[in-house]
Amino acid sequence: MKALKSLVLAACYLLVVAGTASAEENRLASPAPGRTAISTTPNQGVREAATRAVRLIDRASASFLTTRPCFACHSQTISAMVLSDARKVGIEIDETNFKRQYERAFEALGATRVDTIGYALWALDIGRHAPDDKTEAMVEYVLNFQKDLGTWKPTVDRPPSEVSSFTTSYVALRGLNRYGSAKQREAIAKRATAVAQWLESANAADTEDQVFRLRLARELKLPSDKVDRFVQKLLSEQDAAGGWVQKRGMKPDAYTTGSVLVALREAGGLSDQHSAWLRGLGYLLQTQKPDGSWHVESRAKPIQEYFEGGFPHGKDQFISAFATSWAAQALLMSLAQERR
C-alpha cells in the first residue's frame, strides 16, 4: 500500500504548473475537453518508480546474457543507458553487469543488420569505449552498407523498433560520428549529406519515425527552426492521458511515450517544466506495473524460436523490456535535473 500510495501521490501531485508553460505550450499539450490533465514533478514517487525499474532492468539484463551469446539492442544498449544514468542520480547498480552489457556489443562484429551494429556502437559509447580496430571495422561495414541509397533502410520488419528508416539511419550515423577514424571521415561526411537531403522530404508515417527524425535532425546539426518544427509536431500528438501512440488507432504505451520524452529532452531541448513533459511523466507513473516494468504488447512477427530472456510478460517481453528502459530513462532525466 505504501508503494501504491507513493505512486498515486506522484502522479496526482500537481496539475500543470501555472506560468511555467507559454500559451503555445499549453495549447499543444492541453487535454481534450472534459478530461483532466495529470502530471508530476521530480519527487520521491518518481525516484521510487525509477528505482523499481532500474532494479528490474539490472536483473533482467544480467539474466539475458546467460540465455544467448548474441548482442541485443533491447537488452544491452538501452539497459546500459539506464544503468549508466541511474548511478548518476544515486541509484545503486551492479557495476559488473553494466560493464558486461556494453562489452557484449562486440558480438555484433559478425552482424549483418545495420540496426544491430549501430546500437552496438551506441552501447560502446555509453561505456566510453575508446575507438579501436574493432570499432573501425564496424564503422566500415555500416559505411559500405546500402551505399547506393545514401541513407539506410531496415532489412527486417519488426515494429516499432526495427521498421523505420529514420531509426536505422540515426543509429548508423550516430555510430559513424562517434567511432569513425580519420581516414573514414570523408566517406562519413558524404553519407551524412545524403541523409540530410533525404530528411528534407522524407515522410514520418508514425511516432517512431518522428522520434528518430528529431534525433537525426539534432545529429545532423540542422537549423534550430527545423528541429523545433519536429518538436512541435510531436508535442501536438500527445493524447489526453499524457501518452503517445505508436500509430493512429492504437492506445498510448510506455515504449512510445518513453522514447518520445527522451528524444524531446535530449534532441529537442524540452524543459522538464514543460506541461507535456509533466503530463508524460504522470502517464508513465500511472501505468507502471508493481514489478517495475511497463507491459507493451508485441506486434512484430517472430524471426526466431521463442525463448525466455529474463524479463516479465512472456511473448511480449522484448518490446516490454525496450519500453521499460525508455520509460525509466525519462524518469531518470527528471531526477538528474532535480540534482542540478
Side-chain angles (χ1 to χ4, degrees):
M1 286 298 294
K2 183 178 180 181
L4 179 61
K5 184 178 180 181
S6 296
L7 185 62
V8 173
L9 287 174
C12 302
Y13 177 76
L14 176 72
L15 291 178
V16 176
V17 181
T20 61
S22 66
E24 176 68 6
E25 289 172 345
N26 285 325
R27 181 187 70 79
L28 289 169
S30 60
R35 297 292 295 274
T36 301
I38 297 178
S39 60
T40 184
T41 54
N43 56 24
Q44 187 60 29
V46 174
R47 176 167 289 276
E48 290 174 357
T51 300
R52 284 194 299 273
V54 168
R55 287 174 178 169
L56 172 61
I57 291 165
D58 209 351
R59 293 194 310 271
S61 61
S63 175
F64 185 88
L65 294 180
T66 68
T67 63
R68 287 292 190 275
C70 61
F71 169 82
C73 54
H74 75 267
S75 182
Q76 275 73 64
T77 304
I78 311 300
S79 294
M81 181 190 301
V82 169
L83 297 179
S84 176
D85 285 357
R87 61 184 181 180
K88 294 176 185 176
V89 298
I91 298 176
E92 185 177 355
I93 66 166
D94 183 339
E95 294 289 345
T96 300
N97 179 49
F98 169 62
K99 187 170 185 286
R100 287 173 177 165
Q101 292 302 318
Y102 68 79
E103 286 182 342
R104 175 61 73 89
F106 287 118
E107 296 298 329
L109 275 168
T112 58
R113 298 209 302 266
V114 168
D115 299 75
T116 302
I117 298 173
Y119 272 112
L121 290 169
W122 193 347
L124 290 170
D125 184 41
I126 292 168
R128 298 185 178 181
H129 180 84
D132 57 21
D133 291 344
K134 292 180 179 179
T135 58
E136 184 175 350
M138 295 165 82
V139 166
E140 192 66 20
Y141 181 87
V142 173
L143 268 176
N144 290 306
F145 190 82
Q146 297 178 335
K147 196 173 183 179
D148 57 323
L149 295 177
T151 186
W152 290 269
K153 293 184 178 181
T155 54
V156 295
D157 184 8
R158 303 181 70 203
S161 60
E162 288 185 90
V163 71
S164 169
S165 292
F166 293 91
T167 304
T168 304
S169 294
Y170 172 75
V171 298
L173 189 61
R174 187 189 191 284
L176 300 189
N177 285 340
R178 304 306 187 279
Y179 283 101
S181 64
K183 64 183 181 182
Q184 293 170 322
R185 285 297 160 191
E186 184 177 351
I188 292 171
K190 289 181 179 179
R191 293 297 299 256
T193 298
V195 172
Q197 292 173 345
W198 167 78
L199 198 62
E200 286 289 335
S201 59
N203 178 52
D206 58 20
T207 311
E208 176 83 0
D209 282 353
Q210 288 192 52
V211 164
F212 284 91
R213 179 175 65 176
L214 173 58
R215 284 187 172 275
L216 263 178
R218 179 63 69 184
E219 187 69 23
L220 290 163
K221 300 179 180 179
L222 297 186
S224 59
D225 62 320
K226 291 186 177 181
V227 174
D228 186 60
R229 187 167 72 248
F230 298 152
V231 167
Q232 297 305 320
K233 176 62 175 171
L234 276 169
L235 289 175
S236 72
E237 296 191 359
Q238 186 177 30
D239 84 341
W244 278 265
V245 300
Q246 292 182 30
K247 57 189 297 187
R248 292 182 184 276
M250 296 182 68
K251 295 179 180 180
D253 62 61
Y255 173 88
T256 311
T257 302
S259 64
V260 167
L261 289 175
V262 174
L264 285 173
R265 189 91 175 106
E266 287 186 340
L270 193 74
S271 167
D272 69 335
Q273 290 302 304
H274 192 293
S275 54
W277 176 268
L278 296 172
R279 292 175 56 233
L281 285 191
Y283 170 82
L284 293 176
L285 288 169
Q286 285 186 309
T287 54
Q288 187 185 32
K289 302 296 183 183
D291 62 5
S293 72
W294 281 264
H295 181 202
V296 176
E297 293 184 6
S298 176
R299 58 189 182 96
K301 294 181 180 179
I303 60 173
Q304 60 182 324
E305 185 178 348
Y306 173 78
F307 66 94
E308 283 292 339
F311 203 85
H313 308 305
K315 292 185 177 181
D316 297 330
Q317 65 184 288
F318 303 121
I319 187 60
S320 294
F322 232 145
T324 297
S325 290
W326 280 130
Q329 188 67 9
L331 298 182
L332 292 170
M333 285 180 165
S334 283
L335 295 178
Q337 184 65 26
E338 186 182 43
R339 288 168 70 92
R340 293 194 181 111

